[in-house]
Amino acid sequence: EDKVVQSPLSLVVHEGDTVTLNCSYEVTNFRSLLWYKQEKKAPTFLFMLTSSGIEKKSGRLSSILDKKELFSILNITATQTGDSAIYLCAVEETSGSRLTFGEGTQLTVNP
Amino acid sequence: DGGITQSPKYLFRKEGQNVTLSCEQNLNHDAMYWYRQDPGQGLRLIYYSQIVNDFQKGDIAEGYSVSREKKESFPLTVTSAQKNPTAFYLCASRTHGSHQPQHFGDGTRLSIL
């Protein structure tokens, strides 16, 4: 059975701090790993990672995948209150038919 | 605007009652998915469909049913057999092709009266 574990489950920081969110996985036939941000309603897509060691970057957010050690990290630099959200990690099998999600990390950024 | 529309946003169910959650997309996506999210937990897959008139059970299909008669629509029925239906329900869709992410609707929050 595929499994995704995120840590920490919750995190409280001050504006301007840098945070690192972790995601480890066990999946039989790995195809990709995805990060989503969920504020109140729909999760919004952040990154899709398929290859080890290649950093994906979007503004203050970046992510990297290690397929040998089976984990990914999501970094957020110079955090802002608008970064407060649940960050979800999911893995996709080679069939491409479904995602398995972790529990999510609840990030709170205080002014 | 293209997107995924879920309705209603809030729904209340009485004991013994079946309710149906709507999910419509105008993105011309082939695959559609239903997830359940409980407080403090991630998303769990209920059902998914990759083509019209075909669907598969996910990890927690018991007490739920779906249909896929049209490409744009994937309604979810929460039956009376689902004993703990209170949750946030999210619908997603994606196009076929390699490395395409799923996109989500705004969800329906279901509560028991």
Side-chain angles (χ1 to χ4, degrees), chain B residues 51-63:
Chain B
I51 56 172
V52 175
N53 292 323
D54 189 42
F55 49 83
Q56 286 77 41
K57 292 182 179 180
D59 299 319
I60 54 165
E62 186 174 349

Side-chain angles (χ1 to χ4, degrees), chain A:
Chain A
E1 184 179 319
D2 298 344
K3 189 175 178 183
V4 178
V5 177
Q6 293 187 243
S7 65
L9 293 181
S10 93
L11 188 57
V12 180
V13 300
H14 292 292
E15 267 193 318
D17 288 350
T18 292
V19 298
T20 298
L21 310 183
N22 304 295
C23 176
S24 63
Y25 63 90
E26 296 173 22
V27 61
T28 305
N29 297 299
F30 177 87
R31 179 176 185 174
S32 64
L33 184 144
L34 296 87
W35 285 97
Y36 287 86
K37 176 183 181 182
Q38 184 180 25
E39 295 183 74
K40 289 197 186 301
K41 299 177 182 178
T44 54
F45 170 71
L46 295 175
F47 298 112
M48 176 183 279
L49 304 153
T50 57
S51 301
S52 276
I54 298 174
E55 184 183 55
K56 294 243 176 155
K57 197 170 171 65
S58 175
R60 296 176 294 101
L61 277 66
S62 63
S63 184
I64 198 160
L65 174 67
D66 186 329
K67 289 168 73 173
K68 182 179 177 184
E69 300 297 330
L70 308 183
F71 77 90
S72 173
I73 60 172
L74 176 69
N75 279 321
I76 309 175
T77 59
T79 51
Q80 302 170 358
T81 55
D83 295 325
S84 295
I86 298 172
Y87 290 84
L88 296 164
C89 173
V91 293
E92 182 182 34
E93 301 171 356
T94 50
S95 66
S97 62
R98 52 175 294 163
L99 296 177
T100 300
F101 282 84
E103 289 185 27
T105 294
Q106 173 74 63
L107 174 65
T108 303
V109 181
N110 290 324

